[in-house]
Amino acid sequence: MKVRVLLFASLRERAGRSRFEVEVEADCRVEGLLRQLENDMPFLREVGRFAVAVNEDYAGPERPLRENDEIALIPPVSGG
Amino acid sequence: MKVRVLLFASLRERAGRSRFEVEVEADCRVEGLLRQLENDMPFLREVGRFAVAVNEDYAGPERPLRENDEIALIPPVSGG
Amino acid sequence: MIRLTDQPIVIDDLLKAVANPAAGAIVLFIGTTRDHNQGRRVERLEYEAYAGMAGKEIDAIAAEAASRWPIAAVAIVHRTGVVPIGMASVAIAVSAAHRAAAFEAARFTIDRLKETVPIWKKEFFEGGAIWIGDQCGREGGFVDPALAPGEPGTKG
Amino acid sequence: MIRLTDQPIVIDDLLKAVANPAAGAIVLFIGTTRDHNQGRRVERLEYEAYAGMAGKEIDAIAAEAASRWPIAAVAIVHRTGVVPIGMASVAIAVSAAHRAAAFEAARFTIDRLKETVPIWKKEFFEGGAIWIGDQCGREGGFVDPALAPGEPGTKG
């Protein structure tokens, strides 16, 4: 199934893109998606510390994904 | 010697005047002035609780007065 | 910056007064006239000041805030005369590099102002009027004939 | 009330948004771009937001503030894009019957906003640029090549 990935701030710049789609297994969870993304963007491993949101809510690594979910990788926020 | 007395807020309304001069002894202190004022304005005794400023600074009862001092009777403040 | 005015307070003037390129935070406090107090329906407040001394006391508070916190600037304006419901009677702006100092200094400034600055408010409510502050003394104090049992504070 | 804007923040709009005849206190916090940070001369900040989620998170913070303190209203606006020195990147207004609640809720709101709302600032300084926040992680994180050793926070 397809999910949408969003990248922001330093991650966006590092990746050179802000959004893309990726094909994942039907039973994929957040942690599985991250491992898959690391193949393509090994710098995600170095970064070490970012949060994940699924459909605009913070989500843990066990969160199951569904078709067309929007997954955002969220580096440490610094608004204000 | 003469000193000037200022009244504010409830004290001003009660006295029906906001400023006047009064003749006091040369060695008069704040507490002496207050006793003298109470003769004329016995309600000052009931009020019981107000601060005094001499020449725009808070002053205690022992503060000596000088000719032309400006003494303000300051009921509990409620600005803000 | 002016300390007392009998005109409506212009908030933008305070913000401009504390603007500073080294500041990352501005905290503004505005005290406004509430439409109720202690169960009374408030119609308006009227403020009276011992003007010369009030200005000096306000300056002293500003100086103390600046000595106790690393702030860039502080501006304080109090209105006198009638202040209708919803309008500002007092405004305090503080700028600082960091927000903690700005918040703490602003809070200190309004707390201290209410304790020491010779300004008095008379509350006009349905059925009477009362000088706020007189009633909180243990010894009683006096009030206008028409009024309900009073407690301090018609303001934030 | 809008939550995010790429235009200069209009403070008066926030004050109007929280105006309430039952309120005796308004506390306004403004975060402005400082001209320095950690010894670097800052030229400007640039903010990026995950807009949809940021709006939801801001709403959630406003709701939490309203549930924890007896406040009348809260308004929150964050600017995105370039924010020049001295300009506001974020503004928060809280009205309440009493000042304690207004101060505490405003402080809570800006603190929480900085923790949870998906907005990022890039600091452009003399000689480089850095995404603020990346550097505070224990695991390091990465930074643009040109930069000095970084610490969090260019803002109040």
Side-chain angles (χ1 to χ4, degrees), chain B residues 10 12-13 58 70 78 80, chain C residues 47-48 50 116 122 134 155:
Chain B
S10 52
R12 172 182 57 72
E13 288 189 350
Y58 285 109
E70 175 177 292
S78 53
Chain C
Y47 287 87
E48 175 175 336
Y50 180 11
T116 68
K122 189 171 188 176
D134 275 354
K155 301 295 306 317

Side-chain angles (χ1 to χ4, degrees), chain A residues 10-21:
Chain A
S10 52
L11 295 179
R12 173 182 57 71
E13 287 189 351
R14 187 87 170 217
R17 54 186 176 167
S18 61
R19 60 165 60 212
F20 54 90
E21 293 199 329

Side-chain angles (χ1 to χ4, degrees), chain A residues 6-14 46-49 53 55-58 70 72 74-80, chain D residues 47-48 50 52-53 56 78 89-90 113-122 131-134 137 139 142 155:
Chain A
L6 305 188
L7 300 175
F8 293 98
S10 52
L11 295 179
R12 173 182 57 71
E13 287 189 351
R14 187 87 170 217
E46 308 161 37
V47 175
R49 183 169 163 273
N55 300 330
E56 303 188 347
D57 282 314
Y58 285 108
E70 176 177 290
I74 300 195
V77 302
S78 54
Chain D
Y47 287 86
E48 175 174 336
Y50 180 11
M53 183 175 171
K56 282 172 61 175
H78 203 298
S89 53
V90 62
L113 182 147
K114 284 170 169 271
E115 288 167 6
T116 67
V117 178
I119 298 178
W120 300 268
K121 65 168 147 266
K122 190 171 190 176
W131 283 100
I132 302 296
D134 274 353
E139 292 109 303
F142 53 84
K155 302 293 308 311

Side-chain angles (χ1 to χ4, degrees), chain B residues 24-37:
Chain B
V24 297
E25 301 287 324
D27 61 349
C28 185
R29 292 166 189 268
V30 163
E31 57 183 346
L33 172 65
L34 293 181
R35 278 197 300 269
Q36 191 174 327
L37 292 175

Side-chain angles (χ1 to χ4, degrees), chain D residues 26-64:
Chain D
I26 296 173
V27 171
L28 173 74
F29 172 80
I30 307 174
T32 52
T33 299
R34 275 196 283 138
D35 61 6
H36 65 285
N37 186 38
Q38 301 292 333
R40 298 184 296 266
R41 202 155 128 186
V42 177
E43 290 166 351
R44 67 180 189 279
L45 297 178
E46 201 171 317
Y47 287 86
E48 175 174 336
Y50 180 11
M53 183 175 171
K56 282 172 61 175
E57 289 291 321
I58 287 174
D59 285 342
I61 295 170
E64 190 174 352

